[in-house]
Amino acid sequence: MHNALNRGLNVRHIRFMALGSAIGTGLFYGSASAIQKAGPAVLLAYIIGGAAVFFVMRALGEMAVRHPVSGSFGQYASRYLGPLAGFVTGWTYVFEMAIVAIADVTAFSIYMGFWFPAVPGWIWVLSIIFFLAALNLLSVKVFGEMEFWFSLIKVVAIIAMIAGGVAILVFGFSTGAEGSAAGLGNLTAHGGFMPNGFGGLLAAFAVVMFAFGGIETIGVTAGEAANPATVIPQAVNTVPVRVLLFYVLTLGVLMSLSPWDQITGATSPFVQIFSTLGIPAAAHILNAVVITAALSAVNSDIFGAGRILFGLAQQGHAPAVFGRISRTGVPWMTVVMMTGVLLVGVVLNAVLPENVFLIIASIATFATVWVWIMILASHVAMKRDIARKGLAPSSFPIPFWPATSIATLAFMALVLVILGTDEHTSVALWVGGVWLVLLVIAYKLWVRGEGLERAVLADETAPLPVVSAADDDALVSGASAGAPSGASAG
């Protein structure tokens, strides 16, 4: 057994993981619910939500480049907000990844239903869990390669779909659905661009932000990136282009091909629309693509949760068994735990086949937004710490500080309010609130009670290692003496 993660992810791996994180269940399936809520105005929701996510990622990127450690934002919260904040942040991210993974395997079962409608969905969920668990037990380089190819398939398919859709719009084509013709007029002809008013636009944010969930996994890769100071900024800075291309342009083309109010959500809207266009082969090809997207998403969920659990174990915030590393440099016990969690998804799909996705997605949105809020709060605390101590500035600072951080925090708070006021998603606040209370109780009874806080307190006196344009000698000497630059803290 080893005690450090292998740095087996290169620029190509992380860049395509960044691309893949923007193309998942939230786009291929969840977008149907967002479209039903806001109509064509959902494009505005993705632009606004995407801008907020970009600034979250810039805040995380600044911290990840400065402190490239395993555990990422869980350790940043511990260092800059206190051990309790780190405990809550880390475990809430694990909770987020677990819930998102269940949503992703649920979407996988729905996609398979397009081909095999008579087969119960839970069978597909069970069939895929153990394959992905075995994949994650291999070396991180194998994981990176698999994600590269998964993401490449998704990117090529999206670009091909956009090109095909534009060709149909240019040359004209009947949808065959109530005689409606494909064209840009579909964005305004069916109740207007904002058919459900401003309230519909606000309601869509609950689903839109779920679509972006998991993008923070880019920061988690810092502990296994061969050159985080170069790789992380490159990945983060592609976020705006990805949002415009993969969400705004893609859904704009989709809603131009077919009226937005004919999207049912029974399957992926991509598959549904291309089926109504009378191109059955295209629908089957797209279904294969969205299945690939779901597998990629679950794969990344297991990876992200595992690395955060590894960081929590190093801090004494999780059982030590989660810090054990296999000969190939993989925290194997975290993979085993996530496999057990995914088995819960099998039960949910068997018991609540009709309602499980919306319920799970709303809970995942709460956890996602909460983690983003903690990332922003940790970043604010770090910036204040740098200013107070007169430390060297970061080499990858967030733009327009502090206005962007304040505005983004306010927006994230608004999303939580929206979750609570929508009758279909309000369950998320109840579940999320109970989860946070349980975490605080667990911290008081388990971490403090068992004396496992020592590792975190050590982090307070020996801060995280710093990697910046001008190395912070004061921090480095306290945190990484005797360890190579970028080695994981703890």
Side-chain angles (χ1 to χ4, degrees):
M1 293 291 178
H2 305 279
N3 58 7
L5 300 175
N6 287 343
R7 290 188 178 273
L9 298 177
N10 58 34
V11 174
R12 176 170 57 89
H13 294 149
I14 294 178
R15 184 172 295 172
F16 272 82
M17 283 178 66
L19 284 170
S21 65
I23 315 171
T25 302
L27 172 62
F28 285 125
Y29 183 73
S31 57
S33 178
I35 291 171
Q36 290 168 349
K37 291 177 182 294
V42 74
L43 301 178
L44 290 178
Y46 279 109
I47 291 173
I48 295 170
V53 169
F54 171 65
F55 289 118
V56 172
M57 293 306 300
R58 281 301 299 259
L60 177 58
E62 181 174 350
M63 292 189 292
V65 170
R66 193 176 183 88
H67 305 302
V69 298
S70 59
S72 188
F73 39 83
Q75 293 217 38
Y76 306 149
S78 286
R79 170 62 182 86
Y80 292 108
L81 300 177
L84 175 59
F87 180 84
V88 171
T89 301
W91 277 105
T92 301
Y93 177 75
V94 173
F95 178 67
E96 173 198 344
M97 289 294 95
I99 297 298
V100 169
I102 292 175
D104 289 333
V105 294
T106 299
F108 171 77
S109 68
I110 293 170
Y111 301 153
M112 293 301 294
F114 177 74
W115 287 331
F116 307 99
V119 179
W122 65 267
I123 293 179
W124 298 115
V125 175
L126 184 63
S127 68
I128 202 62
I129 289 175
F130 294 107
F131 167 74
L132 293 177
L135 180 65
N136 273 267
L137 288 173
L138 301 175
S139 71
V140 70
K141 186 174 182 179
V142 172
F143 166 83
E145 283 296 323
M146 187 62 69
E147 277 302 296
F148 168 78
W149 290 107
F150 276 158
S151 298
L152 183 61
I153 292 171
K154 292 186 289 185
V155 170
V156 170
I158 286 290
I159 294 174
M161 194 219 73
I162 292 174
V166 170
I168 291 172
L169 295 174
V170 171
F171 296 107
F173 202 87
S174 173
T175 64
E178 299 182 6
S180 299
L184 295 177
N186 281 328
L187 297 177
T188 57
H190 302 268
F193 182 73
M194 197 178 292
N196 297 325
F198 189 67
L201 176 64
L202 288 179
F205 280 117
V207 182
V208 167
M209 302 316 288
F210 165 74
F212 294 124
I215 198 170
E216 66 276 5
T217 302
I218 297 171
V220 179
T221 64
E224 290 165 276
N227 187 6
T230 299
V231 173
I232 299 300
Q234 289 178 349
V236 170
N237 284 334
T238 62
V239 170
V241 174
R242 285 182 283 138
V243 170
L244 291 174
L245 176 63
F246 298 126
Y247 285 94
V248 180
L249 182 56
T250 302
L251 293 180
V253 169
L254 209 65
M255 289 185 290
S256 297
L257 291 176
S258 181
W260 69 271
D261 54 0
Q262 294 179 12
I263 295 175
T264 64
T267 186
S268 168
F270 293 78
V271 176
Q272 178 191 340
I273 287 175
F274 275 84
S275 294
T276 61
L277 285 172
I279 313 175
H284 287 288
I285 292 171
L286 279 173
N287 199 54
V289 171
V290 297
I291 286 173
T292 300
L295 297 180
S296 171
V298 178
N299 204 30
S300 292
D301 298 337
I302 296 174
F303 172 87
R307 272 49 180 183
I308 288 292
L309 270 174
F310 176 80
L312 287 169
Q314 286 191 315
Q315 297 175 27
H317 283 180
V321 67
F322 290 124
R324 293 179 181 174
I325 303 297
S326 69
R327 289 189 298 272
T328 56
V330 174
W332 61 274
M333 190 60 192
T334 64
V335 176
V336 173
M337 191 208 75
M338 281 297 290
T339 301
V341 170
L342 286 174
L343 291 175
V344 175
V346 177
V347 177
L348 291 176
N349 275 274
V351 177
L352 302 169
E354 299 298 325
N355 305 315
V356 65
F357 185 83
L358 183 60
I359 294 172
I360 292 173
S362 61
I363 296 172
T365 301
F366 172 87
T368 297
V369 172
W370 182 265
V371 168
W372 288 344
I373 288 173
M374 297 304 289
I375 288 173
L376 290 166
S378 300
H379 178 259
V380 169
M382 185 191 78
K383 297 288 277 190
R384 289 179 175 176
D385 189 62
I386 291 172
R388 184 174 62 254
K389 297 179 180 178
L391 303 174
S394 301
S395 60
F396 186 54
I398 189 173
F400 309 115
W401 161 265
T404 49
S405 294
I406 295 173
T408 306
L409 277 168
F411 174 77
M412 295 303 169
L414 173 64
V415 173
L416 292 181
V417 172
I418 293 171
L419 278 176
T421 55
D422 189 313
E423 62 177 347
H424 300 295
T425 59
S426 59
V427 64
L429 287 192
W430 289 101
V431 174
V434 170
W435 169 257
L436 295 178
V437 169
L438 290 176
L439 284 181
V440 172
I441 294 173
Y443 177 82
K444 298 295 184 182
L445 296 180
W446 175 38
V447 178
R448 284 185 178 276
E450 295 295 327
L452 295 177
E453 199 178 33
R454 292 191 299 273
V456 179
L457 292 178
D459 283 346
E460 293 293 316
T461 58
L464 299 171
V466 172
V467 177
S468 62
D471 282 342
D472 243 320
D473 292 338
L475 287 179
V476 174
S477 62
S480 57
S485 177
S488 60

